[in-house]
Amino acid sequence: MSDCIFCKIIAGQIPSRKVYEDDDVLAFHDIHPFARVHFMIIPKKHIASLADAGPEDQAILGKILLLAPKLAQEQGLEGGFKTLVNTGRGGGQEVFHLHVHVFGGGPAA
Ligand code: 5GP
Ligand code: ZN
């Protein structure tokens, strides 16, 4: 997906503040945070949205959700955090590469 911003971030063509990376997923801070801590976890595979995920994506979706509390704690959200997955234009999705927002810790500075 050559025109996908998040694929470009995965490829290192656009810089990001990384939180975590392995062979399957990347987590990085949102450029416009709406909380003191706000990062996103994305699959390295281009999946446009949750509505475009299929049974073959079950493992990666589970991996992303299981990573959320671990990374949230590492980022200082010991007391808890929120998750958000905007899906489709009607769901407020702006970047069409599946991402799970993880945020908390009060309003952004
Ligand atoms: P959506 O509305 O699609 O769920 O959220 C997309 C998010 O991606 C927004 O919160 C926006 O701030 C973030 N975003 C868009 N472009 C970039 C970028 O180039 N770098 C980073 N780090 N975040 C981005
Ligand atoms: Zn993509």
Side-chain angles (χ1 to χ4, degrees):
M1 278 285 162
S2 56
D3 59 347
C4 170
I5 287 179
F6 286 0
C7 281
K8 286 181 180 166
I9 286 175
I10 290 163
Q13 293 163 3
I14 295 176
S16 70
R17 287 175 55 223
K18 269 180 210 171
V19 168
Y20 175 83
E21 181 170 19
D22 66 23
D23 287 347
D24 306 313
V25 305
L26 177 68
F28 57 99
H29 291 280
D30 197 294
I31 204 165
H32 294 126
F34 44 74
R36 186 178 61 75
V37 175
H38 180 185
F39 61 90
M40 294 174 284
I41 312 176
I42 69 175
K44 286 194 170 174
K45 174 187 175 187
H46 181 89
I47 304 169
S49 80
L50 199 54
D52 295 286
E56 67 278 15
D57 301 314
Q58 184 167 324
I60 191 68
L61 293 175
K63 181 170 182 174
I64 286 171
L65 285 183
L66 289 171
L67 262 173
K70 182 173 180 286
L71 300 182
Q73 185 159 24
E74 286 175 13
Q75 293 299 313
L77 299 176
E78 290 91 354
F81 60 90
K82 297 178 191 288
T83 49
L84 173 69
V85 184
N86 293 327
T87 302
R89 297 217 181 276
Q93 186 175 3
E94 291 179 357
V95 176
F96 281 79
H97 181 128
L98 175 61
H99 49 282
V100 175
H101 294 266
V102 180
F103 57 100

